[in-house]
Amino acid sequence: MKNIFYKYNCSGNTFVVVKYDSNIDYKVFSRKICSKNDGVGADGLLTVKDDINEVFYYNQDGSQALFCGNGLRATLHYLKDQKGLYKKMVPILFNNEVYYGKSLSEEPFCSEIRINKNQIKRNIRTKSGNKMDFINYNNYKLKIFPVKVGVFHIVIINDTNLLNNEFLNENDLIEIKRLLANLYDEEPNIDIIKLNVVTSSLEEVTFYERGVGYTSTCGSGSIAIASILELMNYAMEQYIKISDDLFVVIKENTINLIGKSRLVTVGKYLC
């Protein structure tokens, strides 16, 4: 049982989940097993102490992340498969923070992760102690919102159709990340959103994650976006569609991440 891995797809984010083993260097192992050429291909690796529901997360490049929203949903799916936890509120320990989740349906499997608003930090200042609302890049003034949902995100408002004009390609995003990393204490994940000013709704989202690159969705990024939309009074309906099977619901005290996941494959790994 120790050498079995499970691969889950959570709204486009893919994760390999294994039972925690203190003898394994997961920074090295994650690079191997998440490799599309030499492994099974995944955005990241989750190692789970399923006796106490504690999880650790490693990006595709071997770096450890302190939070992953869709990873928590993958963990919840794994715990359902391993322990039969279904339609119960389950506490999961992640970087010394307790998060709660529950399964909503079994086929297809759909789950909800609840993030307390006091676990979301928006008052993030630069290294010099300044509050920054804009950055200048290639003669463009980009409106930014720094948010911490376990991990650091910068939400960028695409109000000048930058993506449609193909202004922000991957090289641009790498350079913007480098500029922001110099301004703040850590390198951010980047979430670019386009808003419909007529309907006050979210029209388009692009995720660029630290240690991975472009991803179909991002759980913590979705929560960060919802937090900023609430701040801007754009989240009028409190029910925000991120993709066809990933939604964020804003409650009085929590922001809830809801989406489908599926078990892709099960196999054995060698160390």
Side-chain angles (χ1 to χ4, degrees):
M1 290 293 291
K2 255 165 88 170
N3 292 327
I4 294 178
F5 72 83
Y6 302 81
K7 181 178 177 180
Y8 292 92
N9 186 311
C10 295
S11 309
N13 261 164
T14 53
F15 303 96
V16 172
V17 185
V18 298
K19 188 171 183 177
Y20 178 82
D21 185 336
S22 60
N23 295 313
I24 297 176
D25 183 346
Y26 286 114
K27 291 184 178 181
V28 174
F29 179 65
S30 61
R31 292 197 297 270
K32 292 180 179 178
I33 200 164
C34 293
S35 170
K36 293 178 181 178
N37 295 322
D38 302 319
V40 297
D43 293 325
L45 169 72
L46 295 153
T47 68
V48 182
K49 294 181 177 180
D50 53 14
D51 55 337
I52 58 173
N53 295 352
E54 183 175 12
V55 63
F56 305 91
Y57 179 65
Y58 297 85
N59 288 311
Q60 191 182 81
D61 68 350
S63 60
Q64 188 169 3
L66 302 181
F67 181 79
C68 180
N70 282 337
L72 276 174
R73 293 198 300 113
T75 302
L76 196 63
H77 198 154
Y78 169 84
L79 291 173
K80 188 273 294 184
D81 290 342
Q82 299 305 305
K83 300 169 69 173
L85 298 176
Y86 180 59
K87 289 196 172 181
K88 297 177 181 178
M89 191 60 69
V90 178
I92 301 175
L93 183 63
F94 199 141
N95 188 40
N96 297 318
E97 288 269 5
V98 177
Y99 301 94
Y100 291 88
K102 66 181 294 188
S103 51
L104 303 175
S105 66
E106 190 163 13
E107 191 56 49
F109 187 81
C110 183
S111 60
E112 174 187 65
I113 298 294
R114 299 180 183 180
I115 311 298
N116 287 325
K117 289 183 179 178
N118 61 15
Q119 292 175 307
I120 302 169
K121 311 300 180 187
R122 291 192 302 226
N123 188 26
I124 300 171
R125 296 182 178 271
T126 63
K127 292 176 183 177
S128 57
N130 296 320
K131 185 179 183 298
M132 183 163 285
D133 298 318
F134 295 91
I135 61 167
N136 292 308
Y137 179 72
N138 277 5
N139 298 318
Y140 282 87
K141 194 175 184 180
L142 304 179
K143 187 169 180 60
I144 65 169
F145 293 89
V147 190
K148 196 158 192 176
V149 188
V151 291
F152 184 39
H153 285 262
I154 294 284
V155 178
I156 298 177
I157 308 297
N158 177 16
D159 55 5
T160 54
N161 290 318
L162 300 179
L163 288 177
N164 290 348
N165 296 333
E166 296 185 352
F167 167 74
L168 289 183
N169 58 38
E170 186 165 15
N171 289 332
D172 292 312
L173 291 177
I174 291 170
E175 180 62 19
I176 289 170
K177 274 209 314 174
R178 188 190 66 79
L179 292 172
L180 291 167
N182 288 334
L183 289 169
Y184 292 92
D185 287 329
E186 58 183 304
E187 181 185 351
N189 301 278
I190 294 179
D191 315 309
I192 304 172
I193 61 174
K194 184 179 178 182
L195 302 172
N196 188 315
V197 295
V198 176
T199 62
S200 296
S201 61
L202 186 63
E203 194 169 278
E204 187 177 330
V205 187
T206 300
F207 296 106
Y208 195 80
E209 294 191 58
R210 181 178 64 191
V212 184
Y214 287 112
T215 55
S216 300
T217 59
C218 174
S220 57
S222 300
I223 296 163
I225 288 168
S227 179
I228 295 306
L229 292 180
E230 183 183 35
L231 177 69
M232 298 173 64
N233 294 318
Y234 264 89
M236 304 302 289
E237 296 183 3
Q238 311 298 301
Y239 194 83
I240 302 165
K241 180 180 177 181
I242 302 296
S243 68
D244 287 342
D245 56 3
L246 185 65
F247 299 86
V248 183
V249 181
I250 299 176
K251 300 287 188 178
E252 183 178 355
N253 298 312
T254 64
I255 294 181
N256 302 346
L257 186 69
I258 299 175
K260 297 176 184 177
S261 59
R262 59 187 175 86
L263 177 63
V264 177
T265 188
V266 180
K268 292 184 178 181
Y269 62 87
L270 299 174
C271 290

